[in-house]
Amino acid sequence: MAFTTSPTGTPLSSTPRTRLGRSKERASDDRGDLYDILDAGLICHLGVVADGGPMVVPTGYGRDGDTLYLHGSTGARSLRATEESDVCVTVTHLDGIVLARSVFHHSVNYRSAMIYGRARLVTGEEERLTGLRVLTERLAPGQWDYARLPNRKELAKTAVLALPLDEASVKIRRGGPVDEEEDYDLPVWAGVLPLVTQWGTPVPDAALREGIDVPVHIGGRR
Amino acid sequence: MAFTTSPTGTPLSSTPRTRLGRSKERASDDRGDLYDILDAGLICHLGVVADGGPMVVPTGYGRDGDTLYLHGSTGARSLRATEESDVCVTVTHLDGIVLARSVFHHSVNYRSAMIYGRARLVTGEEERLTGLRVLTERLAPGQWDYARLPNRKELAKTAVLALPLDEASVKIRRGGPVDEEEDYDLPVWAGVLPLVTQWGTPVPDAALREGIDVPVHIGGRR
């Protein structure tokens, strides 16, 4: 199954909630930036309004073209809440700590996307499988074609939600500190402390059958 | 200024929104677990209800005893929204991808804390400084005593919020996959792919004065 062609030409919509009030220079309305951030992430933070208050749940996601897919147990409170309110899905990459000459100008380098909208419960069997496939492939590329696929019973336990990638706010900060003019003379080190996330060595399950090597797509023989 | 002694003996309160509906075995009501998760994190995802909908913003935080501190520009929409609703602050550490023999049982190893409550705008000057200090020290330990401290003008631009660490939900998943009994015979590798976050080499600001070495607390001579 091919991925939908990404309409990178369509800018992201600007609405009162996606328009940045501050730090406008960090905003991007480039759909390509949004997709890059989503395609580099492993989990999102899903925000819903539940019983009148906010609830922020870390969860997996996947993207197929201009649709974001979420999933969860059919009984989960956060998923039930999406029937009653919009959602806000935030994906954040923290790339480094920006150390300035003054405490006030300390900052972080990051790439973040906030996506707003009403999630739709996916009912069509083909789209449900597409959603679960991109969800699996985001977290564990190659596993959809390698592990046992969901059976009827497992599919019945899983709710799949679709969120259109229409209304989004993308923020990116890169580079060194910006200090007050008079602080550049201070005898204080300034710069960026980069944060690097890497895969470790795969740890086999204690119950792994003998003779099964780590597949290349997981990290074997790389 | 000494940190308040952590009342690790007091269990976290159980309320309808912190009680886990599913995966109860992953829940912890140990205050020590909450503090460990908070003290190992760099950013949180702050959830508020703004104009009736959810908004999830990545932001810094700090902890002093049983109080969580947040800050932001006095004009920020997310901070204004905290005056009108409860907040949910979520801190998540993703420790690894759990690769099972079936797609359905894929999971992640993680430690997460969701803190609910009403944030209080801090007005006392001493507590405001405490809040900013623990916020700075969470992100950049050692910088409060090293960089130039905030002046009156900078302090006026910064709102500091305090959230009591009373109502929280802590979830921890560790270990390998749990597969269906009949799947253990499949010729499929299973285990955990660990995710490791590390500091890179400090990158000096282009405008750094000559002769200033990277201090030990930032990563020099470690």
Side-chain angles (χ1 to χ4, degrees):
Chain A
M1 214 178 311
F3 271 58
T4 311
T5 307
S6 308
T8 44
T10 320
L12 305 169
S13 78
S14 178
T15 65
R17 56 187 178 184
T18 62
R19 218 167 286 140
L20 291 190
R22 301 161 304 113
S23 305
K24 287 187 180 34
E25 73 286 358
R26 297 184 188 169
S28 164
D29 67 352
D30 182 344
R31 189 167 282 273
D33 284 341
L34 172 64
Y35 292 175
D36 286 348
I37 289 168
L38 294 178
D39 297 350
L42 295 166
I43 59 161
C44 65
H45 280 80
L46 165 66
V48 296
V49 178
D51 305 317
M55 182 181 186
V56 180
V57 184
T59 187
Y61 68 89
R63 180 177 79 86
D64 184 32
D66 54 3
T67 303
L68 191 84
Y69 288 99
L70 303 165
H71 76 326
S73 161
T74 46
R77 182 167 167 257
S78 54
L79 285 194
R80 288 201 313 273
T82 60
E83 294 169 19
E84 292 153 35
S85 85
D86 278 9
V87 302
C88 174
V89 172
T90 300
V91 174
T92 307
H93 303 284
L94 187 60
D95 296 322
I97 310 294
V98 180
L99 303 163
R101 293 156 183 89
S102 68
V103 163
F104 183 75
H105 285 293
H106 275 57
S107 187
V108 290
N109 281 340
Y110 66 100
R111 292 159 289 148
S112 77
M114 293 164 65
I115 302 142
Y116 294 93
R118 183 60 69 114
R120 165 177 61 84
L121 184 69
V122 180
T123 52
E125 215 46 37
E126 196 184 337
E127 189 183 1
R128 276 168 53 80
L129 283 173
T130 298
L132 292 174
R133 178 177 53 79
V134 295
L135 270 150
T136 304
E137 291 291 299
R138 175 93 309 284
L139 214 53
Q143 288 293 95
W144 187 262
D145 291 330
Y146 177 69
R148 176 176 66 72
L149 290 176
N151 59 34
R152 200 168 289 272
K153 197 173 132 196
E154 290 166 345
L155 285 172
K157 285 184 192 167
T158 311
V160 178
L161 297 170
L163 182 65
L165 292 170
D166 287 337
E167 189 184 348
S169 158
V170 172
K171 285 172 76 174
I172 297 169
R173 191 205 189 279
R174 294 191 179 96
V178 178
D179 271 300
E180 298 294 327
E181 200 57 44
E182 61 270 27
D183 287 341
Y184 280 88
D185 286 336
L186 292 176
V188 172
W189 190 89
V192 174
L193 190 56
L195 202 60
V196 187
T197 302
Q198 288 172 317
W199 296 111
T201 306
V203 180
D205 182 18
L208 188 66
R209 267 179 50 178
E210 272 185 56
I212 303 181
D213 290 333
V214 182
V216 175
H217 75 270
I218 293 172
R221 288 164 287 153
R222 269 198 299 218
Chain B
M1 215 179 310
F3 272 59
T4 310
T5 307
S6 308
T8 44
T10 319
L12 304 169
S13 78
S14 177
T15 65
R17 56 186 178 184
T18 62
R19 219 167 287 140
L20 291 189
R22 301 160 306 113
S23 304
K24 288 186 180 31
E25 73 285 0
R26 297 184 188 169
S28 165
D29 67 351
D30 182 346
R31 188 168 282 273
D33 284 341
L34 171 64
Y35 292 175
D36 286 348
I37 289 169
L38 295 178
D39 297 350
L42 296 166
I43 60 161
C44 65
H45 281 80
L46 165 66
V48 296
V49 178
D51 303 318
M55 182 180 187
V56 180
V57 184
T59 187
Y61 68 89
R63 180 177 79 86
D64 184 33
D66 54 3
T67 303
L68 191 84
Y69 288 99
L70 303 165
H71 76 326
S73 162
T74 46
R77 183 166 166 259
S78 54
L79 285 195
R80 288 202 313 273
T82 59
E83 294 170 18
E84 292 153 35
S85 85
D86 278 9
V87 301
C88 174
V89 173
T90 300
V91 174
T92 307
H93 303 284
L94 187 60
D95 296 321
I97 310 294
V98 180
L99 303 162
R101 294 156 183 90
S102 68
V103 163
F104 183 76
H105 284 293
H106 276 57
S107 187
V108 290
N109 281 339
Y110 65 100
R111 292 158 289 148
S112 76
M114 293 166 64
I115 302 142
Y116 293 93
R118 183 59 70 115
R120 165 177 61 84
L121 184 69
V122 179
T123 51
E125 215 47 37
E126 195 183 338
E127 190 184 0
R128 278 168 53 80
L129 283 172
T130 298
L132 292 174
R133 178 176 55 78
V134 295
L135 268 151
T136 304
E137 293 290 300
R138 175 94 306 284
L139 214 53
Q143 288 292 96
W144 187 263
D145 290 330
Y146 178 68
R148 175 176 67 70
L149 289 177
N151 59 33
R152 200 169 290 271
K153 198 173 133 196
E154 290 166 343
L155 285 172
K157 286 184 193 169
T158 311
V160 179
L161 298 171
L163 181 66
L165 291 170
D166 287 339
E167 188 185 348
S169 158
V170 173
K171 285 172 76 175
I172 298 169
R173 190 204 189 280
R174 293 191 181 97
V178 178
D179 271 301
E180 297 295 327
E181 199 57 44
E182 61 269 28
D183 287 340
Y184 281 88
D185 285 336
L186 291 176
V188 172
W189 189 90
V192 174
L193 189 56
L195 202 61
V196 187
T197 302
Q198 288 171 318
W199 297 112
T201 306
V203 180
D205 183 18
L208 187 66
R209 266 179 51 177
E210 271 186 56
I212 304 182
D213 290 333
V214 182
V216 175
H217 74 271
I218 293 172
R221 287 164 286 153
R222 271 200 298 219

